[in-house]
Amino acid sequence: MAGGGGIGPSTGKAYPGELTGKVFVTCIVAAMGGLIFGYDIGISGGVTSMPSFLKEFFPEVYRREALDKTTNQYCKFNSTTLTMFTSSLYLAALLASVIASTITRKLGRRLSMLLGGCLFCTGGIVNGFARNVAMLIIGRVLLGFGIGFANQSVPLYLSEMAPYKSRGALNVCFQLSITIGILCANTLNYFFSKISGGWGWRLSLGGAVVPAIIFIVGSLCLPDTPNSLIERGRHEEAKDRLQKIRGVAMVDEEFNDMVAASEESKKVKHPWVNLLRRKYRPQLTFATGIPFCQQMTGVNVIMFYAPVLFKTIGFGDEASLMSAVITGTVNCFSTLISIATVDKLGRRFLFLEGGIQMLISQIIIAAAIGLKFGSNGNPGELPKWYASTVVAFICVFVSAFAWSWGPLGWLVPSEIFPLEVRSAAQSINVSVNMFFTFFIAQIFLPMLCAFKYGLFLFFAVFMVAMTIFIGFLFPETKGIPIEEMAGVWRKHWYWKKFVPSDDNKADSQPPSGGGGGGGGGGGGGGGGDIEMS
């Protein structure tokens, strides 16, 4: 396909330095921000399948699910209030990511991460003690604010700290952290659902405090990135930090490029305006297109509605929760494959292979459910082998997502933008991601009721489109220093017409009356640094 193949660094630069143990530990700590996102995805679907939770807050759904035998199986969970409980978080995360852009740019990635952890912790407490639906939704909104701040800042932090040869693997640790959060939540749901008295859901929701505290403590201990220090004029400290995280003394070339990028970013006053410039068209296309496509795979439908979905296809209460644990485990271990291969096989290969595998899985799942359930949703006696087959292909789908569109949806947008618009661009990435997560969460249950098994074919159509989109338009970005990424677009068969051969051309100057964006490194608030000596 056109546009394929790996493209080397645009100026042939290969900065010295390797992945040091201290940088590895630092990036793992930062990646813990994914725990809060993953925990929420897993918990929300699990508690909405617990009869005691439904009886307490959504009695209409409980009556349809447990008592009414006449309602179509596909429609038992169709409730506007239940959908709002799940999806309100993502709308809040969308709004928070816009605010987080300014804080991340002016005060640093670390402060945004810390705020995210504190807001998520507060939301977990409110949900754990909820007495009515209003308290539940307020808690979900606070959780969403926390996720918006974390998802905006963590991928940027990881991309700036990592050496370019290992940037992919270290950034994917964020997605690994998300999958660990999902797995922990699914496992806790399974055991908490067994608590006599039916109050286990409070432990599930209130348990969000644990990953939040882990993230808060980690944020307090993290060091600033060299980019952040340079942005605040602390050049000597930045160079010393860069030498420590690269493990070599000769970092002049990389440091000088960072300083030059910082000087360019200071000329830009309005990052949102600057992002609309023609020369950023390729990056903006993928910063919006990739998160849109990521959500249209339908994976979040499977992950945060997995227990509900499994109950719909014939599993009992505990069996549906255990099936969610199984898919969570597959999700977690498959992400390790991405970490091992993303800097070797490249981003394009994983995007394309994962898309094809998910497409085939979606078609088979739709056929399997359609043949047994038909349009009335009544499978009669559902053989265990048949249900197990459906779960198996759901796992095949989840594994493909976990090593392709899942981690790459966060990695690629965080590595393709120059410093002057990087923070604003990441906010757009998170905003698009959260908007379509909200959109899918809003329409899933009504669509399941209306489309029935055809819902999987609906997402399969998008799988075809997004695989073609990547195949023709996305160039390889592996092994390219983050400050040298512009050369990738200049060499691409299509995008080269948008990117000037020299960034000093008139196209890069601010428009009259406007000014571009202030995207990047921003400071990093206080808190004890991890010692990098």
Side-chain angles (χ1 to χ4, degrees):
M1 289 183 177
I7 299 175
S10 59
T11 61
K13 293 183 180 180
Y15 300 135
E18 300 295 335
L19 175 61
T20 64
K22 291 168 184 175
V23 169
F24 179 76
V25 171
T26 298
C27 289
I28 292 297
V29 171
M32 289 298 102
L35 279 177
I36 62 176
F37 191 23
Y39 186 87
D40 179 79
I41 291 174
I43 282 297
S44 57
V47 296
T48 53
S49 71
M50 294 182 185
S52 58
F53 177 79
L54 294 176
K55 191 174 183 179
E56 177 88 14
F57 295 103
F58 307 98
E60 180 185 351
V61 177
Y62 173 75
R63 284 192 297 270
R64 282 204 307 264
E65 197 276 325
L67 305 176
D68 186 357
K69 304 302 181 184
T70 62
T71 302
N72 189 299
Q73 187 80 359
Y74 293 109
C75 301
K76 287 191 172 184
F77 290 91
N78 188 15
S79 165
T80 303
T81 311
L82 180 60
T83 299
M84 182 55 67
F85 162 72
T86 302
S87 60
S88 57
L89 177 145
Y90 302 101
L91 186 60
L94 186 160
L95 298 175
S97 66
V98 177
I99 300 171
S101 169
T102 301
I103 294 176
T104 300
R105 176 167 52 93
K106 295 183 178 295
L107 303 177
R109 280 65 164 133
R110 190 170 57 176
L111 182 59
S112 283
M113 292 157 67
L114 180 62
L115 285 173
C118 292
L119 288 166
F120 194 87
C121 185
T122 305
I125 294 172
V126 172
N127 273 350
F129 289 98
R131 296 294 177 186
N132 49 54
V133 174
M135 281 189 72
L136 281 180
I137 293 179
I138 290 171
R140 294 286 291 172
V141 168
L142 290 170
L143 293 172
F145 284 144
I147 288 173
F149 274 90
N151 288 8
Q152 200 277 341
S153 54
V154 171
L156 292 185
Y157 184 93
L158 294 173
S159 289
E160 292 182 351
M161 285 294 287
Y164 72 91
K165 293 179 182 178
S166 305
R167 186 177 63 244
L170 290 178
N171 205 296
V172 171
C173 287
F174 178 67
Q175 176 68 17
L176 176 63
S177 182
I178 292 175
T179 65
I180 292 172
I182 294 172
L183 177 58
C184 290
N186 288 337
T187 304
L188 290 175
N189 279 335
Y190 178 74
F191 287 106
F192 289 159
S193 68
K194 297 176 178 291
I195 295 177
S196 60
W199 54 275
W201 60 267
R202 290 195 181 275
L203 295 179
S204 291
L205 295 178
V209 170
V210 176
I213 290 175
I214 293 173
F215 187 42
I216 290 169
V217 173
S219 299
L220 289 171
C221 297
L222 289 174
D224 290 322
T225 66
N227 306 71
S228 174
L229 294 169
I230 291 171
E231 283 290 294
R232 289 176 289 159
R234 294 155 60 178
H235 287 204
E236 290 301 318
E237 187 179 349
K239 187 171 184 179
D240 181 64
R241 177 61 49 77
L242 185 61
Q243 289 171 334
K244 289 176 180 178
I245 65 177
R246 297 293 181 255
V248 295
M250 299 298 295
V251 296
D252 289 350
E253 187 175 28
E254 183 176 7
F255 177 74
N256 290 337
D257 284 347
M258 287 182 177
V259 172
S262 176
E263 292 302 317
E264 285 299 313
S265 73
K266 290 177 181 177
K267 299 176 183 177
V268 178
K269 304 300 182 184
H270 307 288
W272 304 98
V273 175
N274 213 47
L275 269 173
L276 300 178
R277 295 189 174 284
R278 180 179 173 85
K279 69 174 182 175
Y280 298 128
R281 192 77 51 77
Q283 298 98 317
L284 190 59
T285 297
F286 289 103
T288 55
I290 287 178
F292 166 75
C293 292
Q294 185 189 55
Q295 295 310 310
M296 297 311 291
T297 62
V299 68
N300 274 354
V301 168
I302 288 178
M303 296 313 296
F304 61 61
Y305 284 117
V308 172
L309 186 62
F310 288 131
K311 286 185 76 171
T312 298
I313 61 176
F315 289 78
D317 293 341
E318 290 188 5
S320 67
L321 290 171
M322 178 50 70
S323 297
V325 172
I326 293 171
T327 57
T329 303
V330 170
N331 191 22
C332 185
F333 281 98
S334 296
T335 305
L336 295 174
I337 296 175
S338 184
I339 291 175
T341 59
V342 68
D343 289 316
K344 296 177 182 177
L345 299 178
R347 283 65 158 156
R348 274 177 55 83
F349 176 84
L350 293 180
F351 267 134
L352 296 174
E353 190 283 330
I356 293 170
Q357 183 173 325
M358 284 190 286
L359 171 63
I360 295 172
S361 301
Q362 292 272 31
I363 294 172
I364 293 175
I365 291 167
I369 295 178
L371 287 173
K372 195 66 180 175
F373 285 76
S375 60
N376 63 9
N378 183 12
E381 186 68 27
L382 188 68
K384 286 186 177 181
W385 68 266
Y386 201 92
S388 298
T389 300
V390 175
V391 172
F393 277 101
I394 287 177
C395 288
V396 171
F397 172 88
V398 168
S399 66
F401 178 86
W403 64 55
S404 61
W405 283 89
L408 297 180
W410 298 108
L411 166 61
V412 171
S414 72
E415 70 179 359
I416 60 177
F417 281 92
L419 181 63
E420 63 265 22
V421 293
R422 195 175 297 153
S423 182
Q426 181 65 10
S427 287
I428 288 180
N429 174 46
V430 175
S431 296
V432 173
N433 190 298
M434 292 301 136
F435 173 78
F436 282 102
T437 304
F438 169 79
F439 176 72
I440 293 298
Q442 280 290 105
I443 68 172
F444 168 66
L445 290 174
M447 285 184 70
L448 179 62
C449 183
F451 284 33
K452 303 175 174 58
Y453 61 88
L455 181 60
F456 291 97
L457 297 178
F458 170 82
F459 289 115
V461 171
F462 283 96
M463 292 304 315
V464 174
M466 57 204 275
T467 301
I468 294 173
F469 168 65
I470 291 295
F472 278 95
L473 295 178
F474 182 70
E476 184 55 70
T477 58
K478 72 170 182 176
I480 299 173
I482 196 169
E483 305 300 345
E484 294 296 304
M485 200 64 72
V488 172
W489 313 106
R490 293 193 191 105
K491 295 182 179 180
H492 189 269
W493 70 275
Y494 179 74
W495 297 120
K496 63 183 179 182
K497 64 184 179 182
F498 293 95
V499 181
S501 59
D502 184 352
D503 278 343
N504 292 323
K505 287 185 176 182
D507 178 73
S508 65
Q509 298 303 316
S512 59
D529 290 358
I530 292 177
E531 180 58 48
M532 301 298 294
S533 60

